[in-house]
Amino acid sequence: MKPIGVFDSGLGGVSFLREAVKKLPNESFIYYGDNKNAPYGDKSEEEIERLALGCTEFLTEKGVKAIVVACNTATGSAINLIRERVELPVLSVEPAIKPPSDMGGQGKILMLATAATTKMARYHELKSRMKEPSRIIDVPCSGIADIIENGVFDPKAYETILDEKLSGYKGMEIDAIVLGCTHYIFISEAISEYAARNFKGSCTIYDGNEGTARRLRHVLEEKNMRELGSERGSVTFYTSGDYEKYKRIFDMLMARQR
């Protein structure tokens, strides 16, 4: 009967939470957004580790039965530390570069993420295991998460910043675009529209949320922790920031269709 804890540097992890609620409708969830300190992407690894451990402590004190780190940047910096500190199952999202790499192709794979994620050893070790690491182009996208944190989702609002980050690849054949930050999933329409106007190739969008939600369900079943009652579970929201501001955006995002 215990809830599942989910945290992110801010609102990005809500994109994972929506997938988890779909796959595990009888489970209850506690979501913690560290909005006061968002985004994590331009901070040092030491600062990210400290903040991520603080989020973990908050959730464990709420009595959760498992934790999902729904933040690629926190995963890259702190996932091993978190697993050392708690005895609960701890899952995480990571840039979904494997599916498009396994597909093969002649075009490139753009991996859009925070500046911190693109520099982390954990990500580069993951990238080194791909079939053709040279196909993957890492694109630091500082600034995008800040706009999303303010509740701006109109695709037109992102034309300038996307051009700033992606104009160097115009005309290139792109097989896939990996959204390596859970925030970016909320503007996948803007990214797809930009890609259609400026790149060649299929530009298929990938993210790691669905795979992580499937993994969560498997782990709960494996450990006999799955809630199988007939009643729908609850979702409780907490934030380190302005509750009224972020709860309004949280509710809007939870209600949106992907």
Side-chain angles (χ1 to χ4, degrees):
M1 298 297 291
K2 291 183 178 181
I4 297 162
V6 179
F7 81 82
D8 178 59
S9 63
L11 293 167
V14 180
S15 61
F16 164 78
L17 181 61
R18 294 191 309 192
E19 292 289 342
V21 168
K22 288 178 188 176
K23 286 185 167 48
L24 297 162
N26 304 118
E27 297 286 351
S28 291
F29 293 87
I30 292 178
Y31 183 88
Y32 181 67
D34 191 13
N35 303 87
K36 180 181 178 181
N37 297 298
Y40 286 179
D42 296 321
K43 300 183 187 302
S44 68
E45 286 206 45
E46 292 77 13
E47 179 72 358
I48 297 166
E49 289 173 0
R50 184 183 67 80
L51 293 170
L53 289 172
C55 295
T56 302
E57 182 178 358
F58 179 92
L59 290 173
T60 55
E61 289 177 353
K62 294 295 180 185
V64 299
K65 63 183 178 183
I67 292 175
V68 180
V69 183
C71 174
N72 289 273
T73 302
T75 294
S77 178
I79 192 64
N80 292 332
L81 281 174
I82 293 170
R83 286 174 173 154
E84 289 172 3
R85 301 287 179 91
V86 300
E87 296 181 358
L88 307 171
V90 179
L91 295 86
S92 63
V93 295
E94 296 194 73
I97 55 175
K98 189 175 189 304
S101 294
D102 288 348
M103 290 289 289
Q106 300 300 313
K108 297 293 186 180
I109 298 168
L110 297 184
M111 200 289 287
L112 280 53
T114 66
T117 296
T118 62
K119 297 174 184 176
M120 287 178 180
R122 182 182 178 90
Y123 167 67
H124 284 282
E125 196 278 328
L126 172 67
K127 184 176 174 180
S128 71
R129 300 199 305 267
M130 299 302 106
K131 289 182 178 179
E132 295 181 73
S134 61
R135 288 180 65 210
I136 302 168
I137 300 174
D138 302 327
V139 185
C141 292
S142 299
I144 291 179
D146 304 73
I147 303 172
I148 295 168
E149 283 290 302
N150 284 308
V152 178
F153 303 103
D154 182 352
K156 293 180 181 178
Y158 292 88
E159 291 179 0
T160 299
I161 195 166
L162 287 176
D163 197 56
E164 175 187 321
K165 307 300 180 184
L166 299 172
S167 61
Y169 312 106
K170 285 184 178 180
M172 188 177 290
E173 183 175 354
I174 305 296
D175 288 338
I177 300 175
V178 175
L179 306 183
C181 171
T182 49
H183 281 82
Y184 302 167
I185 295 160
F186 294 125
I187 62 161
S188 58
E189 180 183 352
I191 294 169
S192 292
E193 289 177 358
Y194 183 90
R197 291 194 306 269
N198 294 285
F199 304 144
K200 300 175 184 176
S202 60
C203 301
T204 304
I205 301 287
Y206 290 85
D207 70 74
N209 282 345
E210 186 176 358
T212 304
R214 287 198 306 268
R215 176 63 180 160
L216 173 61
R217 182 173 60 189
H218 174 76
V219 168
L220 294 177
E221 291 172 349
E222 185 178 60
K223 296 182 178 295
N224 296 315
M225 298 170 71
R226 178 89 180 269
E227 174 55 55
L228 297 173
S230 59
E231 294 185 7
R232 191 169 185 85
S234 63
V235 175
T236 305
F237 172 75
Y238 293 95
T239 177
S240 61
D242 181 330
Y243 181 85
E244 295 302 324
K245 172 184 176 180
Y246 292 111
K247 179 62 162 61
R248 176 183 58 80
I249 302 172
F250 175 86
D251 289 342
M252 179 181 67
L253 292 174
M254 287 297 292
R256 286 179 67 185
Q257 295 295 315
R258 179 167 176 171

